[in-house]
Amino acid sequence: VNNERLTSSQNTPVLSLRVENPELITASHLAQWPEVYSQDSRPHFPELMRRLLVETPQASEISIRTVDGTSLAGPDGVAFFKEPTKLLPSGHLRFEFGTNKRIKDKANTDYNSNKETALAHETFVFVTPRRWQGKHDWVAERQADGLFKDVRVLDADDLELWLQLAPNAHIWISERLGLHPRDAITL
C-alpha cells in the first residue's frame, strides 16, 4: 500500500490510501487511517459508526455524536439491538470511540468515565479503527468488574466484517479514504 496525501480543489488535505487495484477498504486501511490523517479520523470515525448502525437492521434508538459533538461529556453513542448480530449482543449498548495510538489508555479512560453511570442492563462497547492485540485480555478484566451486562471491543478487523455486511457504509468510507469501489459511486 502506498500512502500519500493529496490536496483537493479547496487546498485542503485529502487522505488517499492507494492500492494497485482499488476497490473497498480493508482492516489495514482502517488501521492506517488515524496514522496517516488523524485530523480526519477523529471527527469522522463516529460518523462511520453511525452509518454502520443505521445500516444494521437489528439496531434502533441510535444516537451517535459526530464532529464537534464528540467533545461533549457522556458516552459517544447509544443504540438498542433487538437481536444479536455477528459482532454485538442484543439489548442496550453504550459506545465509546477512540482513534488514539495508545488504545488501552483511551479505553481505560472511557470505561472509567462511564463507571458512575453504568447500568447493569447495558453493554459497554469500545470501538477503534486500529488493531488492538490485547483487546481480549482487556475485555476479560472489565467483564470481571460486573458493572455492565457485558463489555465488548471492536477493532479494525471486526469493523472490516461489519463493513462487509453494510455496503453503503463500506462504499462511503472507501471513497473517503481515497479508494474507488468498482461498480459503485455515491451521489
Side-chain angles (χ1 to χ4, degrees):
V1 177
N2 177 20
N3 298 328
E4 61 183 67
R5 291 189 190 187
L6 299 178
T7 304
S8 72
S9 58
Q10 294 87 18
N11 289 327
T12 56
V14 176
L15 174 64
S16 178
L17 298 175
R18 297 196 183 265
V19 294
E20 288 183 10
N21 188 6
E23 289 196 40
L24 296 170
I25 66 159
T26 65
S28 294
H29 292 110
L30 283 173
Q32 292 175 357
W33 184 21
E35 289 296 319
V36 174
Y37 198 49
S38 65
Q39 298 301 77
D40 183 73
S41 66
R42 195 172 301 121
H44 291 100
F45 182 61
E47 183 178 355
L48 171 61
M49 293 307 304
R50 180 192 290 168
R51 288 170 180 267
L52 284 168
L53 287 164
V54 166
E55 206 169 336
T56 302
Q58 296 88 338
S60 64
E61 301 175 35
I62 301 162
S63 177
I64 303 287
R65 293 186 299 225
T66 63
V67 191
D68 294 341
T70 61
S71 62
L72 297 174
D76 292 334
V78 295
F80 178 79
F81 276 52
K82 58 186 170 193
E83 298 171 5
T85 67
K86 293 179 183 346
L87 296 168
L88 294 169
S90 60
H92 294 275
L93 282 71
R94 182 187 301 206
F95 291 92
E96 290 289 350
F97 310 128
T99 60
N100 306 42
K101 187 176 242 178
R102 298 176 62 158
I103 304 166
K104 185 176 180 180
D105 290 347
K106 173 65 169 143
N108 282 332
T109 299
D110 287 349
Y111 181 82
N112 290 334
S113 71
N114 280 274
K115 279 182 172 180
E116 288 186 27
T117 59
L119 299 173
H121 69 278
E122 282 185 323
T123 296
F124 179 88
V125 184
F126 181 79
V127 190
T128 179
R130 296 177 182 272
R131 285 189 162 115
W132 185 4
Q133 189 170 357
K135 72 180 182 179
H136 299 295
D137 293 336
W138 187 87
V139 166
E141 291 170 13
R142 300 293 85 72
Q143 287 173 335
D145 292 345
L147 295 175
F148 290 93
K149 176 182 166 186
D150 197 1
V151 176
R152 301 285 178 98
V153 168
L154 301 179
D155 70 0
D157 295 297
D158 301 310
L159 292 174
E160 179 181 48
L161 170 60
W162 198 349
L163 285 166
Q164 290 169 347
L165 300 170
N168 293 329
H170 205 168
I171 291 167
W172 176 82
I173 191 63
S174 295
E175 289 180 339
R176 177 148 203 96
L177 297 184
L179 300 182
H180 306 284
R182 289 184 185 162
D183 303 324
I185 188 165
T186 55
L187 296 176

